[in-house]
Amino acid sequence: MSETGAAPRPAVTELRLSAFRGLCGTRLPLGPLTLLSGPSGSGKSTVLEAHTALARLAAGDTVHEVFDSAPGGSAACVPLTARPDGTGRRGFRLGCTVTGPAGQVHLDIAVQAEPQLRVVGERLVCGDRTLLTTALRDPGRRTVQAAWHTAGSNPVTRAPLPDDRLATALLPLRVAGTTEGQRQVLAAAEQTVLALRSVFRCDPRPERMRAAVAPGDALLRGCCDNLAAVLRRHRTGSAAAHAALLAAASAGWAGPDVRDLRAEGCEGAEGGLVRAVADRGRAGRTPLEWLADGELRYTALVLALLGGPDLLDSGPVGRVPDAGLPVLVLADGLDRGLDKRQTQALLALAGRVCAQGDLRLLGTLFDVSAARTVPGACVLRLGGARAARPDGSAAAPDGPACAEEYPAAEEAAARSGTPGG
C-alpha cells in the first residue's frame, strides 16, 4: 500500500530468466527507472527480448508467433549448455513478478523448444498459495493439464488447456468467479496480464524519421518514423507539456535554443503530408530532417517520455482496457548515437517522468556513468562483474546480474518460482 492508502497500480517488479539464451539464474528487480549495463554479449538485449516475449504471450500470441520469429528461432532461445533429456527435449524458462492490488503475483513458465515448440509448464503463485499449475502429461496431445485454485466444493478445478498459449491469459475466459478462491485466481491473472501487456518498445530509426508522413498518423510508433504527425498533435495539447518538450530539446541539441517544434504541410508531390520543423529564433527555421542521427534519436526518446501513455502506439500487445495503468517503455541502446550531454539530459528527464508514476522505463546503456546522478535509477550490470558502489567498494554480484545502487536499487519484489511440469 502507498502512503495515501491507495493500492499500487499493477507493474512488473521482477524479471526472471531462469534459463533463456545466454542468461541462467538471473533475477532482475525492476523499478520505475531501471537501466541495464554490461559488455557486448552480456545479455542486455536478451532481457528486453524476454520481457517482450512475456508481454506478447500475455496478449494472446502463441509460442510460435512469439519465438519462431525470434533471432535464430525458438532453438536459439535455449541456453547453449542445455542438454536434451532422454526423449530429446530441450527448452527454456522465463518468469516475472507483478505487484498490484492482488499483492505480489509470481508467474513462471517452461517452454519446450525441441522437438516441438510448446509450453510444458506454468505456475501462478500469490503469497504462499499456488493458484495455477500446468504440466505436459501426454506428449502426443497438444494440450497441458491445468489445475487452478477454486476453494469451493472442489478445492481444485482441472481441465486441459492448449499447449501453445499462456494459460494465465486464458483463465479469465475459464473461471466463473463464483467462489472466493476463483475470485483470487481471476484477480491475480488479470493483474499479471494487464501489467505485462502495458509495454511500448521504443527504438527510434533516424533513417526512417526524415520522410514526410500523413498528419493523422498521430500515435508514436516504436521506430518513431511518424515523429512529425505526433509533434503536430502534441503541440495542440497541453501548453506546459509542449514547453517541457522545447526545454528538453534545447538541452540536447547543439546551437541555439528551440523556440518551437511543429509540423508543416508539404507542397508538390508530397502534398497532404507533413514534415517536422523547429523554430530556433535568430537561427530561423530548421527542418528536423537536417538534424544529426543522435539529435533525432534524442528528440524521439524525449517525445516518448513526455507524450505519456496516450501518445504511444503500443499495438495489440499494449492495448489494455484500463488507461490508468503505467506503461513500461523498453529502449534498447538508450544512449546509442548520443553524446554524454544528451545522455545526461535524457536520463535526468526519465528520472523526473518515471517518478510521477504514469511511465516506467527499462533501458540498456553503453556508458553507465551518466546514470550516477539520476535520483531513483536502479542500475543493473550484467555479465557477472562486480559492481562499484558510489564509495568505490565492490557490491557482491547476485548471479549474472547485480545492482550498482547509485543512488539506490529497488529491492527484488519476491522470490523466484519454478513452473510446474
Side-chain angles (χ1 to χ4, degrees):
M1 300 288 285
S2 67
E3 293 181 358
T4 62
R9 293 187 290 177
V12 179
T13 50
E14 183 179 81
L15 191 63
R16 294 183 290 277
L17 287 76
S18 302
F20 185 71
R21 292 195 184 270
L23 294 178
C24 295
T26 301
R27 295 171 55 190
L28 301 170
L30 304 184
L33 173 56
T34 307
L35 303 169
L36 306 178
S37 72
S40 178
S42 61
K44 301 186 298 296
S45 298
T46 297
V47 172
L48 270 62
E49 180 186 357
H51 199 300
T52 302
L54 288 171
R56 293 184 61 187
L57 290 172
D61 284 359
T62 68
V63 288
H64 296 281
E65 292 170 324
V66 174
F67 296 110
D68 281 345
S69 59
S74 58
C77 298
V78 181
L80 291 175
T81 56
R83 298 288 180 263
D85 64 11
T87 61
R89 299 191 304 172
R90 298 171 71 241
F92 50 91
R93 291 172 180 257
L94 294 170
C96 68
T97 295
V98 176
T99 302
Q104 290 184 338
V105 181
H106 316 292
L107 169 69
D108 291 276
I109 64 171
V111 179
Q112 175 188 295
E114 299 171 349
Q116 291 177 307
L117 181 61
R118 63 206 313 182
V119 179
V120 294
E122 183 174 341
R123 178 170 291 176
L124 189 71
V125 177
C126 184
D128 59 357
R129 173 160 289 166
T130 298
L131 302 179
L132 165 74
T133 61
T134 71
L136 180 66
R137 301 302 185 195
D138 183 354
R141 295 179 179 272
R142 297 315 308 260
T143 60
V144 290
Q145 184 64 30
W148 58 84
H149 179 60
T150 305
S153 56
N154 294 318
V156 175
T157 300
R158 303 181 188 277
L161 291 178
D163 68 351
D164 63 345
R165 295 180 185 273
L166 191 70
T168 297
L170 298 176
L171 284 179
L173 303 176
R174 301 295 298 266
V175 179
T178 55
T179 69
E180 181 61 31
Q182 289 178 341
R183 288 190 286 272
Q184 185 180 9
V185 170
L186 281 174
E190 290 172 352
Q191 172 174 296
T192 302
V193 168
L194 290 177
L196 281 173
R197 289 178 58 184
S198 300
V199 298
F200 175 71
R201 187 144 190 175
C202 189
D203 184 16
R205 300 297 182 91
E207 70 277 8
R208 298 174 60 178
M209 293 165 58
R210 293 185 167 90
V213 297
D217 190 11
L219 288 177
L220 188 65
R221 290 195 288 265
C223 63
C224 304
D225 59 347
N226 60 334
L227 180 68
V230 180
L231 279 174
R232 182 174 181 265
R233 177 184 172 188
H234 191 268
R235 189 172 183 268
T236 60
S238 166
H242 196 65
L245 175 64
L246 300 181
S250 297
W253 290 13
D257 286 348
V258 180
R259 304 289 183 84
D260 194 14
L261 282 171
R262 62 184 185 276
E264 288 186 352
C266 300
E267 299 178 353
E270 293 182 336
L273 303 180
V274 294
R275 290 182 178 273
V277 299
D279 178 2
R280 308 195 72 177
R282 294 181 180 178
R285 172 185 174 278
T286 303
L288 263 65
E289 63 211 66
W290 293 1
L291 298 181
D293 284 1
E295 289 178 316
L296 276 177
R297 272 186 55 82
Y298 171 84
T299 304
L301 289 166
V302 164
L303 185 58
L305 291 173
L306 287 174
D310 292 340
L311 210 66
L312 305 179
D313 181 10
S314 47
V317 170
R319 292 192 187 122
V320 295
D322 184 356
L325 286 171
V327 171
L328 175 66
V329 177
L330 300 176
D332 198 7
L334 194 61
D335 56 348
R336 187 190 314 130
L338 275 57
D339 60 30
K340 193 161 188 175
R341 175 178 59 93
Q342 291 169 327
T343 301
Q344 290 175 333
L346 181 64
L347 292 181
L349 174 65
R352 296 191 298 271
V353 171
C354 292
Q356 297 171 4
D358 290 330
L359 279 179
R360 296 165 68 89
L361 175 63
L362 173 59
T364 69
L365 286 174
F366 297 105
D367 180 8
V368 76
S369 62
R372 293 178 178 172
T373 58
V374 181
C378 176
V379 183
L380 304 175
R381 180 180 294 165
L382 300 180
R386 286 184 177 269
R389 292 194 178 97
D391 61 5
S393 62
D398 179 17
C402 54
E404 295 195 347
E405 297 183 288
Y406 40 83
E410 185 173 299
E411 293 182 357
R415 297 177 182 176
S416 172
T418 303

